Amino acid sequence: MTVPLPHLTIPESNIDDRDQEVIDEEENNHLLSSRISPFGVFNVFTPYLTVLGLLVFFVIFGVAVLTISPAFVIGAYRWTQTLAVLVAIAIGTFGFLATVCAPRLIGAFGARKVLRGAVITANIGSVVLVLSPLHEAFFILGALLCVIAIIGFPAFNALVSGKVEKDQVGKMLGAFSSIGIAAYAIGSPVYSAIFSAVGSGGDCGSDTVLSLVWLPWGLAAVSMSIASFILYRFTQTFPESEDDVQEIGASATGNKLNNNEKKSINNSLAEAKMSNDLLKRPANLEDVEMRVLHGEARKNTSPVMKAEK
């Protein structure tokens, strides 16, 4: 006579389930915190992009010196506010024209060369601005060079857009925007504080101009020089072959490859759907035979089969 064994409950399985739930909850919380964290956008950065992030910081920090230009020209050159605004509009127009020409320049010379030219131009402009306390011509020339260098921003975006997956491009550009905003937020009050301390020097050409009036412009020139050095080290460390980006106006080959990939994917999906239909449908021998015969007929009529025959 067999005695039935009593039903035993094993609580360990329940404990394992509860542990798994705790682990899943911790993973979800970690994922959520990484998305909410303001530093989460920098997770996409590679050494290539990190160097370019430093470049963005020092370039924007140097360009931020232009925030003191209205007060400077009014105090140093005795310009009226109307004249200062007209000069600013004229200089800004050149920047707009440079931005319009940027795609053609990138397509003709490449994003890396355009970016290098823009940084060098901004560096020269910042050095010329150091001489702005001497004469207004130096200010106009230096500001014009710095504004023309705006062509570097489209070139920069074209350079980095191919370094991450398509779904990570927005996060990467957001990270660079955060770096630029931080540099501007730091640079603007620094230049304003220095300008408030040293002033504009009054009338240009006086002895007081040569004291410390050049200091904010000199700091901007140092920042742009650091940016030029970073770009030089970038070109030495990362060759042009690592850019992996299609230039504007020269993406015909890339478009053909993309179209071929799309056709291949569509064909694979169609074949998978046909196989799935055969598996799901009830056994219909005639239907299967017709599909098989149709496939054989296609093979026999192919150019490869004809050549073999």
Side-chain angles (χ1 to χ4, degrees):
M1 180 179 180
T2 59
V3 179
L5 295 175
H7 181 69
L8 298 178
T9 58
I10 303 176
E12 284 77 5
S13 60
N14 296 332
I15 294 175
D16 293 340
D17 294 340
R18 288 196 298 269
D19 291 342
Q20 185 63 36
E21 292 178 359
V22 172
I23 293 174
D24 294 340
E25 185 177 358
E26 290 178 353
E27 291 179 353
N28 293 333
N29 292 334
H30 178 71
L31 180 60
L32 182 61
S33 61
S34 63
R35 292 179 178 177
I36 297 176
S37 174
F39 301 101
V41 293
F42 297 100
N43 294 334
V44 298
F45 270 25
T46 60
Y48 182 100
L49 298 177
T50 301
V51 177
L52 291 178
L54 292 174
L55 175 68
V56 170
F57 180 85
F58 285 101
V59 167
I60 299 300
F61 186 88
V63 174
V65 72
L66 295 178
T67 55
I68 68 171
S69 57
F72 175 80
V73 297
I74 292 174
Y77 310 135
R78 303 302 181 185
W79 288 2
T80 62
Q81 291 185 354
T82 303
L83 180 59
V85 170
L86 292 177
V87 172
I89 292 174
I91 294 175
T93 302
F94 282 95
F96 173 76
L97 295 176
T99 305
V100 172
C101 297
R104 291 185 176 272
L105 293 175
I106 295 172
F109 301 102
R112 180 179 287 229
K113 292 182 179 179
V114 173
L115 178 62
R116 186 188 303 125
V119 173
I120 293 175
T121 302
N123 195 1
I124 296 174
S126 63
V127 173
V128 174
L129 285 173
V130 177
L131 304 175
S132 59
L134 299 178
H135 196 274
E136 57 189 14
F138 291 109
F139 173 81
I140 296 175
L141 179 60
L144 188 61
L145 291 174
C146 290
V147 170
I148 290 177
I150 199 173
I151 60 174
F153 288 100
F156 179 85
N157 291 334
L159 188 66
V160 302
S161 60
K163 299 304 297 181
V164 296
E165 299 294 335
K166 291 183 179 180
D167 58 342
Q168 299 291 329
V169 172
K171 183 182 290 187
M172 178 195 63
L173 295 179
F176 283 122
S177 298
S178 300
I179 294 174
I181 293 172
Y184 188 84
I186 295 173
S188 296
V190 169
Y191 294 124
S192 298
I194 296 175
F195 178 76
S196 299
V198 301
S200 60
D203 295 330
C204 286
S206 63
D207 296 335
T208 58
V209 175
L210 300 179
S211 56
L212 293 175
V213 181
W214 57 269
L215 192 57
W217 311 106
L219 179 60
V222 170
S223 180
M224 292 302 303
S225 298
I226 295 174
S228 298
F229 176 76
I230 291 174
L231 184 59
Y232 170 76
R233 294 299 303 170
F234 170 80
T235 56
Q236 297 296 318
T237 306
F238 302 99
E240 192 170 358
S241 59
E242 294 189 17
D243 291 347
D244 188 23
V245 62
Q246 294 179 357
E247 304 297 342
I248 297 177
S251 59
T253 304
N255 290 335
K256 291 181 181 179
L257 292 176
N258 292 333
N259 291 332
N260 291 333
E261 291 176 356
K262 291 179 181 178
K263 290 180 180 179
S264 177
I265 292 173
N266 292 331
N267 292 334
S268 300
L269 291 175
E271 293 177 358
K273 186 176 182 301
M274 183 179 296
S275 300
N276 191 25
D277 291 338
L278 288 174
L279 292 174
K280 288 184 177 180
R281 292 180 60 179
N284 189 343
L285 185 58
E286 295 180 357
D287 189 14
V288 175
E289 289 178 351
M290 289 298 295
R291 290 178 184 270
V292 172
L293 292 175
H294 181 67
E296 293 293 336
R298 291 178 59 184
K299 291 182 180 179
N300 293 331
T301 56
S302 63
V304 178
M305 296 295 296
K306 289 181 179 180
E308 292 179 354
K309 291 181 178 179

